[in-house]
Amino acid sequence: MLELALTFFVIAVIAGFFGLSGIAGITMTIAKWLVLIFLVLAVVSLLL
């Protein structure tokens, strides 16, 4: 999941570099959500 978030982050950076702010914003939002889900699942797995 973290690898997928990193992929979306790279896509957002590349899209931002080329001036595609809409695509960059959407992919950055997806990357943020994936990182949050990863952190929640990591904490839950450590507690169990």
Side-chain angles (χ1 to χ4, degrees), residues 6-7 9 13-15 27 36 39 42-45:
L6 184 61
T7 303
F9 176 72
V13 169
I14 292 171
T27 54
L36 282 173
L39 289 174
V43 168
V44 168
S45 69

Side-chain angles (χ1 to χ4, degrees), residues 1-37:
M1 181 153 318
L2 196 55
E3 183 177 328
L4 189 59
L6 184 61
T7 303
F8 275 107
F9 176 72
V10 169
I11 292 171
V13 169
I14 292 171
F17 179 74
F18 287 117
L20 304 171
S21 60
I23 295 172
I26 291 170
T27 54
M28 187 59 79
T29 303
I30 292 171
K32 285 180 189 177
W33 279 105
L34 288 173
V35 168
L36 282 173
I37 292 170

